[in-house]
Amino acid sequence: MTDPSTSGRAAPALGIAAGVRRGDPSAAAVVQRHLEAIDEHDGVLHAFLTVLHDSALAEAAEIDRRVAAGEAAGALAGVPVAVKDNLCTRGVPTTCSSRILEGWRPPYDATVVEKLRAAGAVVVGKTNLDEFAMGSSTENSAFGPTRNPHDPERVPGGSSGGSAAAVAAGLVPMALGSDTGGSIRQPAALCGVVGMKPTYGTVSRYGLVAFASSLDQVGPITRSVLDAAALFDVIAGDDPRDSTCLERPSPRCAERCDQGVDGLRVGVLAELLDGVDPAVGARVRQAAEVLAAAGAHVEERSVPELRLGLPAYYLVAPAEASSNLARYDGVRYGLRVEADTAEAMNSATRAAGFGPEVKRRIMLGTYALSAGYYDAYYGQAQKVRTLIIDALAAAYQHADVLLGATTPTTAFALGAKVDDPWAMYLSDVCTVPSNLAGHPAISVPFGTDDGLLPVGVQVLAPALGEAVLFRAAAALEDAAPALSAPRVLAR
Amino acid sequence: MAGGRLTRADAAYVARLARIDLTDEELDTYAQQLAVVLEHAAQVAALDTRGVEPTAHPLPLRNVLRADEPGPSLDRAEVLAQAPAVEDNRFRVPPILGEAP
Amino acid sequence: MSAPGAWESVIGLEVHCELKTRTKLFCGCRNAFGEEPNTNVCPVCLGLPGSLPVLNAGAVELAMRIGTALHCEIRPSLFHRKNYFYPDMPKDFQITQYDAPINVDGFLDLPDGTRVGIVRAHMEEDTGKTTHVGGGGRIHDAEHALVDYNRAGVPLVEIVSAPDLRSSTQARLYVSELRGILVAADASDGRMEEGSLRVDANVSVRRAGTAELGTRCEIKNLNSLRSLGRAVDYEIDRQVALLEDGGAVVQQTRHWDEDHGETVALRSKEEAFDYRYFPEPDLVPVVPDPAWQRDVSASLGPMPAERRAKVSALLGPADGPARVEQVSTVVELGLDALVVAAVNAGADPVLALTRAANEAAAEAERARALDAASFASLVRMEHDGELSATQAKAVLADMLELGGDPAEIAQRRGFEALGAGSLAAVVDEVLAANPAEWERYRAGEDKLAGFFTGKVMQATSGRADGKAVAAELRRRRG
């Protein structure tokens, strides 16, 4: 693991861990400070659904005991981490921001949560999301939206809006999110923080409440690229409880960040620039220049198949979701609305328990799978995935990484898109191709628009290309224009 | 159900399959919203994909198996503690009208 | 064989068998029957949010054994989701195999020589168990229902036959033979009454000589071979009567009502199920390599047909329906190895078979553990006249209960067969004591032989040999 003191690279979380391992500061002091920040600012932001004051302090005390006893305390010793509320935490409410799971306490921890704890991190709370991770603004939460720390009248993005806002506001240095169509990267871009989606299969999904099983991945949200790499290193790895998880040696991405981009071939993707806001586009071009100045070979690239990504995604993801969410039927856990028959109970429970976006996607997905429509919709969409994978493979013959916008706009106002589903879905146009292909991608904050709202720039890499992904991301971070401080910010 | 044009009856059929009670108003709204998405999806439906294999998994994994060895089960009390209704250590539901297929 | 008149019945069977793995199909919960409700459950088989399935290698092995035993082609296969709502389904979808099943295109030969095609034999997970409470246990009058998920996730193989069966008799033979194969393959216990073997029948009729299939009905709730036979016969009659009356058979699922002896259409308020099958994204394809397939083939023991043939070959030309029944019985109960070994040790084949099928069968589990040499010895003692049949049966009973050497047991019991001279003396006494009956027997009432045999047995404490007594009586009658 790269020691941030020798690297010289900003890494707030790793800095905390290094200090805690030395005994100064204590984990208890660090955690206490962050809990106070949450208490002070989260009333406005509503990034958190549950804050774990007692257990966090207990975990911190245990870290301090280990340090004092000379035992290993972990790569993330004492680092306060927020966990998106669609990741199971044993004995702690895991609601997926839905009424149908209100109060449900899983009897087990997600694998990534176990890995966090094994690395010495302290879980301080569960963050808000769009219900069942379906959305791009966190306005679909059944428990109220989260606000963007840069402008509380604007959305933080979604679906991992709570995690992104918590990190951007300095309430925690690191958070876990999940990304199915952009749900880590887009809120990271809108909140001015780093958000990364790993290669499908590199991080266990056991304990991640499923939205779209062949697209979902858990990933880091942090304030620095090195912290993101370090967190990825902690959560990545094989898991015998997840059949779709790859067996491979530890990626050690934190060591890659200082490798630079000299000679790296960068393709600027036309499809990830067309139609985006001018300010966003300008920042992407600026990012391309920065990489060139750092020694990369930058070229324009076009992968027209990527335009099929959004419609294909809005067939595949809802289809899988419609099946994954069938289990919420009022029988075994969660909300139940009583009725005269089991069938009526199911229907009434789901009507009361799901919000409109979830219902919309279940309807869409059910339709796309239904008899007579499977081939034209779901079947075709799965073939589009092949087309995208093949087209990207061809592009990667001439490029090591691809560059583009993360999302077409900066943070929009709360309420601006709630009445127009397709307008909201367009937020995902730059991010869904990586999910469909199973490729890794990262959003790095890169300046602001004219309104001082953060802009994120996206780097894409081929499957299992996290090393080159982090190299390029670090180079971008090094030369990124400054962000203004968020209006809501813990000191 | 022609692509792009969904009737209230179409939406009602889907809602029954998905076991969600919807009012007529909701059915109309969803029918209209779904139609918009399906219009965009039409370009996918219309593609010539002869010779293209579907991607069910982005990974080339095969034969992921576990040994036939017992592992831990959950404590029944913990399982039933969060059940909406329990009787005789079983999950209780209202009478089931239909038959299991 | 065919339905009465000019009708032919066409039957296909779908058999679900529970695999005898230690754990469930997708999780490490134990695969056990009859335990306290909801004690063998975990996040995976309860379908808790965030849980994921991981395939049991042992289940794949057993599925391959079944496929091999049924002469199927083993193929790369996928799992699919079959989506529907029911309280006994924790995920409200079942993980099953759809258009890419592991075993296809096999066959099973009935003892009568008919070859029945096996279309497919695929893997899938079982559901939980629902108990309907109130209303006399009948589904339609229930007040509420209770669900136990111990069985949810237990591995099943569903075996689908081609519609090659033509009668209820053949249907029963098929299930019987299939069960024997499943047990011989060590894949399942195959107990219909316990639910580890479940049979659904698809029945249709057509005019004899036509090639087109009639509309079929699916019959469910068949809990025994007898129910299967009765239900198939009832359904054939029902369909024939309907068609002869000018009506049409409606394709539907019907429930066998054991008490009333009829099939009843199920009251279903839903349209035909739209299962929206799609490949299970949480699982990856199963591609058993040739080496694994060869290992499975090699490890499979002989199937019932082969074992029956081996026993029959020992008997020589002494055949007949009773013999066939005995051979079937010993193979079904796993006593054929005992018989074969005993014969190889010098026992008379017919007698060894008879004792195994008639007496040892009563304590089949203990009989399977019998020492073949001791059994052979007992058979020889009886065959050579050292023990009467009654005595031999008693010794066998002791051997089954306590083990031991037959000669020692016979001695301990004070058995020796009755010599011919002693037998004659006893018969003299019995006939003298019962003159009236002797007259009637001499006049032709043959069944009085049984009366006299009983008296002789009484007088000799069972040491007389029944056949010898009968022969003596006949000789005296002249």
Side-chain angles (χ1 to χ4, degrees), chain A residues 112-209:
Chain A
V112 292
V113 171
E114 287 181 351
K115 284 177 178 271
L116 275 183
R117 291 219 174 90
V122 175
V123 178
V124 296
K126 309 294 294 295
T127 55
N128 200 13
L129 60 149
D130 282 299
E131 188 180 0
F132 284 108
M134 301 185 198
S136 310
S137 66
T138 311
E139 292 171 291
N140 294 325
S141 167
F143 308 119
T146 297
R147 293 164 183 278
N148 192 318
H150 289 269
D151 179 346
E153 297 310 307
R154 294 178 181 269
V155 303
S159 60
S160 311
S163 283
V167 169
L171 305 186
V172 285
M174 295 181 140
L176 286 183
S178 71
D179 191 309
T180 304
S183 289
I184 285 175
R185 294 162 284 159
Q186 184 256 17
L190 266 48
C191 289
V193 292
V194 177
M196 179 254 182
K197 183 198 88 67
T199 302
Y200 184 86
T202 54
V203 178
S204 170
R205 290 185 298 118
Y206 185 76
L208 170 67
V209 179

Side-chain angles (χ1 to χ4, degrees), chain A residues 78-118:
Chain A
V79 176
V81 181
V83 170
K84 187 174 181 181
D85 207 29
N86 62 352
L87 283 161
C88 286
T89 42
R90 183 171 183 178
V92 170
T94 299
T95 68
C96 303
S97 290
S98 178
R99 294 234 170 270
I100 218 164
L101 279 180
E102 197 170 1
W104 180 64
R105 293 166 189 265
Y108 73 105
D109 278 323
T111 298
V112 292
V113 171
E114 287 181 351
K115 284 177 178 271
L116 275 183
R117 291 219 174 90

Side-chain angles (χ1 to χ4, degrees), chain C residues 119-196:
Chain C
V119 175
R120 52 190 283 150
H122 69 258
M123 292 182 279
E124 61 184 30
E125 59 177 347
D126 207 348
T127 65
K129 277 201 77 123
T130 313
T131 313
H132 301 273
V133 176
R138 283 188 303 278
I139 295 172
H140 299 145
D141 302 325
E143 285 162 21
H144 57 271
L146 301 177
V147 190
D148 168 21
Y149 294 105
N150 280 352
R151 198 184 68 180
V154 161
L156 299 176
V157 166
E158 178 179 343
I159 302 160
V160 180
S161 83
D164 291 343
L165 301 162
R166 293 285 172 271
S167 70
S168 61
T169 306
Q170 280 198 332
R172 291 183 55 153
L173 269 178
Y174 172 85
V175 173
S176 204
E177 189 68 8
L178 181 60
R179 177 169 59 193
I181 289 172
L182 293 172
V183 171
D186 209 20
S188 176
D189 289 333
R191 302 204 182 115
M192 271 181 93
E193 287 80 5
E194 255 177 45
S196 58

